[in-house]
Amino acid sequence: YDVLIAFNDDSYVLHSTDFAKTGVLLINGEPDKPAVMRHPELENNIVYHVPMERIARKEIGEPRSKNMVAIGATSALFGFERELLEANIRERFGKRSEKILEDNLGAFRAGFRYVEENIEKKDPYQLRAAKGEGFFVLTGNEAVALGAVYAGCRFFGGYPITPASEIMEVIAAELPRIGGAMVQAEDEIASMGMVLGAAFSGVRSMTATSGPGLSLMAELIGLASMAELPCVIVDVQRGGPSTGLPTKTEQADLALALTATHGEAPHVVLAPMMIQDSFTIMRTAFDIAEEFQLPVIVLTEQSLGFRRSDLPKSMLRDAEKWEFPPRSVPEPDEGARYYRYRLTESGVSPRAIPGMAGLQHVVTGLEHAEDGKPAYDPKTRRAMMEKRYRKLDGIIRKYTDVVRYGEENEKVDVGVIGWGSTAGPIKEAVDVARKNGIKAAGLVPRLLYPSPNEPIGEFIRSCKKVIVAEGNMTGQYARFLRSEFPGFDPEHFNSYTGMPIRYHDILAKIEEVA
């Protein structure tokens, strides 16, 4: 943190390992009892002492108002616009009693006034309102939900589960406004069945869950692959196994997502890197699902799902212009027979929707011939398996998407590969390492499966040594990359504490390897 606001010493100690060496500490306390006396490590930090609790008790008569005193003090220190914040306080508390509103406004003003009258600013930070169109604030889960709506999702079947329930709640509010529907099923299995029913009828459909729910959906994900039904499954990962850590983060569902179901079932796994990604990746997920007629799993995480970020308002206007690839629809041919699973070079067959004249067909989870009727002979089995897997070749050609940190095409000493929310810490660790004289670079793919091996291979070859950083104990992505690149032997950085990965931990690993 560049700035840490602590209501007591325990709060500072709890967050001190994440506090920047040159950070600014705003702590509840009297100036004549400086925190540096209790914490000598703060000697080089800028520390402001504001007696938040005393101000709240003396001027408001309510010690719990110290949080609003803190907001007032922070506003005065860093240049927040006082009028905007007072308007926000009125908006939040105006519907409650007059006393509650006045107490909160009074506490805010008291904190603001104390800083103006008693504190000399020593830090360089000023945070002014942005010019131009401005921003709005979303959590990662909210971004996923809105991204799905803009991507054309019109049916959501779901079952509440921490930490994914927020997606269902936002969808429930938004879909009915635009002619869509959300159904809360009796369990995750039923919700996935509903999604496939809606997909069969031609509606862009999805569900959202966490690791335990994804496990329950496994058989029906296989049905989606075999029946070639497009659908999107969002997994907001949490710590497992079993009930595990429902409110903590982890990246331990990758192995499950890569296999997804019993048998060999072509599907796609995507992972957003940040909150804006969580919005835009839903368009990619639905476009892939619809164009290639298969299930797409989006792996996000508790730390990403609950984090908040400011996003440009233009993001929504741009999304209103999204165009979707046309569905491959057969032309009715009088007297001819419709083959739902016609063998094609791309693996994608023209798809009829129930009710289209002359295009009646059978959809089944059994292995089948081109017309959809069950068929178990070796020739058909081989042809259909290869047909379904040919889709992955087209996906790799069209949707390969990786982000590199550091100079393009540069030979480096240490490279770091990660996925999902490790992107931010990797970027910052690489930036700091380079400033410290270490030739480092980072690579983060959004498409995890099928693997974009060409850019990943180029990156591996450009590094003397590679670290794979991820939020699980066993190095699931590192193991997967070993299977894709025989002889690849990366260093591991694995975090499985339930907490988000921090850049300085990755930086320490880069320095160790260098």
Side-chain angles (χ1 to χ4, degrees):
Y1 307 114
D2 295 308
V3 178
L4 176 62
I5 303 168
F7 287 126
N8 51 45
D9 279 37
D10 288 347
S11 179
Y12 159 70
V13 171
L14 178 65
H15 297 286
S16 60
T17 55
D18 294 319
F19 189 41
K21 292 178 181 178
T22 56
V24 176
L25 177 65
L26 177 62
I27 191 166
N28 176 32
E30 303 291 344
D32 60 351
K33 298 177 182 177
V36 71
M37 297 294 291
R38 302 183 297 278
H39 306 286
E41 71 276 10
L42 287 170
E43 183 179 359
N44 296 321
N45 294 86
I46 295 170
V47 181
Y48 298 118
H49 297 83
V50 177
M52 305 171 196
E53 192 166 342
R54 176 169 65 80
I55 293 170
R57 183 182 289 109
K58 182 179 178 182
E59 301 205 22
I60 310 302
E62 175 52 79
R64 290 180 297 177
S65 296
K66 64 184 179 182
N67 58 338
M68 299 304 294
V69 174
I71 293 175
T74 306
S75 304
L77 272 171
F78 303 114
F80 298 163
E81 291 190 26
R82 180 172 176 173
E83 295 77 12
L84 288 177
L85 281 164
E86 288 197 6
N88 186 260
I89 292 169
R90 287 193 177 90
E91 182 182 337
R92 286 187 173 228
F93 298 101
K95 294 180 181 179
R96 303 175 71 176
S97 72
E98 185 69 24
K99 184 179 187 316
I100 290 175
L101 173 60
E102 289 306 317
D103 282 353
N104 280 282
L105 280 172
F108 170 82
R109 291 165 179 164
F112 199 99
R113 188 166 56 250
Y114 182 88
V115 168
E116 284 187 320
E117 295 174 358
N118 297 281
I119 289 184
E120 177 187 354
K121 186 174 174 66
K122 298 176 181 178
D123 67 86
Y125 300 124
Q126 285 291 328
L127 298 174
R128 303 293 186 187
K131 295 181 179 179
E133 65 175 358
F135 298 83
F136 64 103
V137 177
L138 289 180
T139 66
N141 281 344
E142 289 169 339
V144 165
L146 290 179
V149 171
Y150 276 89
C153 175
R154 293 300 177 265
F155 180 80
F156 182 101
Y159 184 77
I161 184 171
T162 303
S165 297
E166 188 181 24
I167 296 173
M168 186 170 73
E169 291 163 5
V170 175
I171 288 277
E174 297 297 330
L175 278 190
R177 300 177 184 176
I178 52 175
M182 188 285 288
V183 177
Q184 180 175 320
E186 62 267 35
D187 55 38
E188 289 88 349
I189 299 172
S191 67
M192 189 65 200
M194 292 177 180
V195 166
L196 297 189
F200 174 60
S201 70
V203 177
R204 287 192 170 207
S205 305
M206 72 170 286
T207 187
T209 188
S210 192
L214 187 65
S215 300
L216 290 171
M217 294 175 183
E219 183 179 357
L220 284 166
I221 294 173
L223 173 58
S225 186
M226 174 65 84
E228 303 189 36
L229 294 172
C231 58
V232 174
I233 305 104
V234 177
D235 174 9
V236 187
Q237 297 168 94
R238 68 193 211 188
S242 187
T243 311
L245 304 173
T247 61
K248 299 295 183 180
T249 199
E250 209 158 81
Q251 291 184 311
D253 292 350
L254 178 62
L256 173 62
L258 291 174
T259 53
T261 186
H262 62 278
E264 295 174 308
H267 63 288
V268 172
V269 181
L270 301 170
M273 303 188 304
M274 56 194 73
I275 292 180
Q276 188 159 353
D277 255 2
S278 298
F279 179 85
T280 55
I281 208 166
M282 296 307 292
R283 175 191 181 183
T284 304
F286 276 100
D287 284 357
I288 290 174
E290 288 290 323
E291 183 178 355
F292 293 93
Q293 302 173 23
L294 42 58
V296 175
I297 299 172
V298 178
L299 285 181
T300 178
E301 307 146 45
Q302 187 272 347
S303 65
L304 192 56
F306 278 74
R307 186 187 312 159
R308 293 184 179 275
S309 180
D310 54 319
L311 303 170
K313 290 182 178 178
S314 59
M315 189 180 82
L316 295 183
R317 285 201 303 274
D318 292 343
E320 290 173 357
K321 302 173 186 175
W322 284 354
E323 295 182 358
F324 309 127
R327 180 184 292 138
S328 178
V329 178
E331 294 292 335
D333 187 359
E334 189 173 351
R337 190 173 181 184
Y338 169 52
Y339 290 93
R340 166 65 184 94
Y341 301 106
R342 185 181 298 278
L343 295 172
T344 63
E345 186 177 344
S346 67
V348 179
S349 308
R351 176 177 164 227
I353 303 304
M356 297 177 71
L359 298 175
Q360 297 88 341
H361 59 282
V362 175
V363 171
T364 175
L366 293 169
E367 187 57 277
H368 45 260
E370 291 182 87
D371 60 3
K373 291 184 178 181
Y376 304 153
D377 63 280
K379 181 179 179 182
T380 300
R381 169 64 170 176
R382 181 170 180 170
M384 283 297 167
M385 286 289 286
E386 292 174 354
K387 168 206 184 307
R388 290 189 290 268
Y389 267 92
R390 281 198 295 274
K391 298 176 185 181
L392 300 185
D393 297 331
I395 292 166
I396 283 291
R397 287 194 296 270
K398 188 170 183 179
Y399 289 98
T400 292
D401 188 6
V402 300
V403 175
R404 177 169 175 143
Y405 304 119
E407 297 295 327
E408 290 290 334
N409 303 318
E410 177 189 35
K411 296 288 186 181
V412 298
D413 295 328
V414 183
V416 187
I417 298 176
W419 61 279
S421 68
T422 60
I426 288 173
K427 179 184 185 303
E428 191 164 2
V430 165
D431 287 346
V432 174
R434 293 176 72 88
K435 288 177 184 176
N436 294 343
I438 299 173
K439 292 187 70 175
L443 189 81
V444 181
R446 290 185 179 91
L447 176 65
L448 302 183
Y449 183 79
S451 179
N453 284 348
E454 186 174 333
I456 293 175
E458 289 176 1
F459 181 80
I460 290 172
R461 290 188 291 272
S462 73
C463 305
K464 289 183 180 177
K465 199 68 181 174
V466 175
I467 302 165
V468 178
E470 51 190 320
N472 56 61
M473 181 177 175
T474 58
Q476 294 178 19
Y477 193 50
R479 288 183 176 189
F480 173 68
L481 290 177
R482 280 198 189 96
S483 71
E484 296 288 313
F485 299 96
F488 177 50
D489 185 25
E491 296 279 343
H492 288 233
F493 175 83
N494 298 329
S495 176
Y496 40 95
T497 63
M499 301 299 290
I501 290 175
R502 303 176 300 182
Y503 93 88
H504 46 79
D505 293 329
I506 297 178
L507 177 63
K509 186 67 176 180
I510 291 174
E511 291 170 344
E512 173 195 323
V513 171

